[in-house]
């Protein structure tokens, strides 16, 4: 009985600690690496939760897409605000196409930009979008900016040092306005790709499908703490 009581107390302590840690991340800005060898539509479901509720009228959402085809729609249309001037899509063509800049960005109703240049050029475009949001808002509040990077997979064949530097600078730019960014990497957490990148992030969010329910397990490297498997339902 004592052992059971101790487990219950530990569980209650974790339930209190997790929202406290999330609240701290939202107040200062944070970057999340979302991993798990799952289909795009399940990552998209997690994306909707991380982008936050559309009930937040002031929230700005910035989507960066490196994927092509219908799977990207789940990210682009995850949680659109009523005012579409508060959302932006940047589509990055990882295979060079000389006409990419003049091509339509699919059927998305979001204001969109298509790029096929270097990672440096992508970083500049993202930074300029953040600056426009910040100017329009007369200064963004904490966690008002939510950035979704729909897949890092197409970038893994780039020079590792260049990719690492790109992410380091981008994460810092989002944090400079106390924003929340999350980057999808649909690979198992034990893979080399995840190990290479995870030191850049404030938390690694591991996804799994258990009995038809999408679950998350959060790893906080700086705190040497991993949550139990959680089943969040409401956007935050």
């Amino acid at each position: 009985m004592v052992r059971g009581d101790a487990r219950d107390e530990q569980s209650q302590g974790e339930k209190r600690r997790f929202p406290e840690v999330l609240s701290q991340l939202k107040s200062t800005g944070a970057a999340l690496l979302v991993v798990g060898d799952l289909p795009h539509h399940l990552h998209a479901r997690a994306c909707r939760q991380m982008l936050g509720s559309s009930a937040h009228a002031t929230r700005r959402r910035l989507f960066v897409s490196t994927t092509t085809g219908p799977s990207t729609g789940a990210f682009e249309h995850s949680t659109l605000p009523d005012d579409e001037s508060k959302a932006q899509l940047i589509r990055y063509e990882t295979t060079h196409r000389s006409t990419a800049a003049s091509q339509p960005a699919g059927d998305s109703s979001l204001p969109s930009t298509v790029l096929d240049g270097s990672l440096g050029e992508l970083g500049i475009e993202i930074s300029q979008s953040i600056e426009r949001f910040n100017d329009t808002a007369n200064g963004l509040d904490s966690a008002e900016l939510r950035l979704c990077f729909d897949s890092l997979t197409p970038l893994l064949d780039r020079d590792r040092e260049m990719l690492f530097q790109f992410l380091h600078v981008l994460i810092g730019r989002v944090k400079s306005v106390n924003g929340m960014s999350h980057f999808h990497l649909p690979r198992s957490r034990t893979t080399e790709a995840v190990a290479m990148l995870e030191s850049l992030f404030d938390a690694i969010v591991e996804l799994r499908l258990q009995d038809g329910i999408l679950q998350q397990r959060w790893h906080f490297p700086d705190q040497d703490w991993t949550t139990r498997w959680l089943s969040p339902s409401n956007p935050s």
Side-chain angles (χ1 to χ4, degrees), residues 188-200:
S188 168
R189 185 169 183 259
T190 58
T191 59
E192 180 183 357
V194 174
M196 175 183 71
L197 299 175
E198 63 181 1
S199 65
L200 289 165

Side-chain angles (χ1 to χ4, degrees), residues 54-118:
S54 57
H56 292 269
T58 61
R59 187 158 288 165
R60 269 72 174 177
R61 294 172 176 83
L62 179 57
F63 300 83
V64 182
S65 177
T66 62
T67 57
T68 58
S71 63
T72 60
F75 296 96
E76 294 166 17
H77 302 281
S78 291
T79 329
L80 289 181
D82 293 334
D83 182 355
E84 291 180 357
S85 68
K86 296 175 181 175
Q88 171 76 28
L89 167 66
I90 299 172
R91 190 186 298 281
Y92 183 60
E93 301 282 358
T94 54
T95 301
H96 178 75
R97 299 177 185 178
S98 59
T99 58
S102 62
Q103 290 175 343
D107 60 357
S108 172
S109 59
L110 293 178
S112 305
T113 301
V114 181
L115 295 175
D116 67 351
S118 67

